[in-house]
Amino acid sequence: MGRYVLKALLARRHTVLAPTRTPASLQNSFEAPHLKILPGSFDDPGLETAYTEFQPEFIIHLAAIRGDGNGSWKHYYKTNVLGTDRLVEFALNAELKGFIYCSTTGVYGIPPSRLPADPWTYADPVGHFRRSEHIAEKTIVAKLRSQTPFLIMRPTVPYGPGDRGFLYKLIHKVKAHQFPLVRKEVTI
């Protein structure tokens, strides 16, 4: 998702500071004078100096350990909750114009108690990823409310070229005849 947002921002000639664990990948994909690549994970404490020097107006926070089974609760909490909290504190201290956060519809539960989910749907996150995203959301609301404009997005299942998440795995299972289907002829 981040690469698509980055591409759109650069097409509009915004100057972007992009923290990434894979700087070579970004350098090979984007040759833009308005892109400043910052090697490291967004939640590395040492990156705050680079953020301060860059003087951003907004934070678009799309990074997270997503899905379940990608580490211990401590690992999810450190990255998704404490990392988000660090960015929120930076946004407050730097008096940014806005903060955009990408969470997950999974904070409502699977399936949500109410469809379609709306502001009155109660949270029922299951698993490390969804629980950590829910806590990060609560941190954003508690700290930024009345201080910094913010937006929390909860996309369903993001997918696209290069994605190896839920839909990719589902398609792979169907093609390998490892997933039961109602009809024999299925086109994906």
Side-chain angles (χ1 to χ4, degrees):
M1 213 182 318
R3 287 180 182 270
Y4 295 102
V5 172
L6 179 58
K7 183 178 179 180
L9 290 170
L10 294 174
R12 289 167 181 80
R13 300 198 185 281
H14 291 285
T15 302
V16 179
L17 177 67
T20 178
R21 294 181 314 258
T22 57
S25 173
L26 273 188
Q27 288 166 338
N28 294 336
S29 300
F30 298 94
E31 292 182 30
H34 302 291
L35 173 61
K36 298 181 183 198
I37 297 172
L38 182 60
S41 178
F42 82 96
D43 62 329
D44 291 343
L47 298 187
E48 194 168 317
T49 302
Y51 297 159
T52 302
E53 290 172 3
F54 184 74
Q55 298 181 343
E57 295 180 54
F58 293 89
I59 288 178
I60 301 175
H61 178 18
L62 305 172
I65 299 172
R66 63 185 185 113
D68 280 318
N70 294 318
S72 67
W73 168 246
K74 185 178 178 180
H75 189 57
Y76 281 88
Y77 188 83
K78 176 188 173 290
T79 301
N80 298 354
V81 176
L82 298 181
T84 298
D85 185 58
R86 189 173 291 116
L87 288 179
V88 166
E89 287 297 325
F90 174 80
L92 287 168
N93 294 334
E95 299 179 358
L96 299 188
K97 291 182 181 177
F99 191 99
I100 299 173
Y101 180 64
C102 185
S103 184
T104 175
T105 57
V107 299
Y108 293 126
I110 300 175
S113 62
R114 182 182 177 117
L115 290 171
D118 58 29
W120 297 274
T121 305
Y122 68 87
D124 186 21
V126 176
H128 296 335
F129 169 60
R130 294 172 200 90
R131 280 183 39 220
S132 65
E133 292 291 281
H134 183 243
I135 295 169
E137 284 187 20
K138 291 183 355 182
T139 298
I140 291 166
V141 172
K143 291 188 173 185
L144 294 183
R145 179 178 289 170
S146 75
Q147 299 291 320
T148 302
F150 66 90
L151 170 68
I152 297 174
M153 301 179 299
R154 295 185 187 111
T156 52
V157 179
Y159 64 94
D163 179 66
R164 298 292 182 256
F166 172 75
L167 287 179
Y168 171 84
K169 291 174 184 171
L170 177 63
I171 291 167
H172 179 74
K173 295 266 185 210
V174 169
K175 286 182 176 179
H177 304 287
Q178 297 173 337
F179 193 84
L181 298 170
V182 178
R183 298 180 314 159
K184 291 185 181 211
E185 291 298 318
V186 175
T187 303
I188 297 180

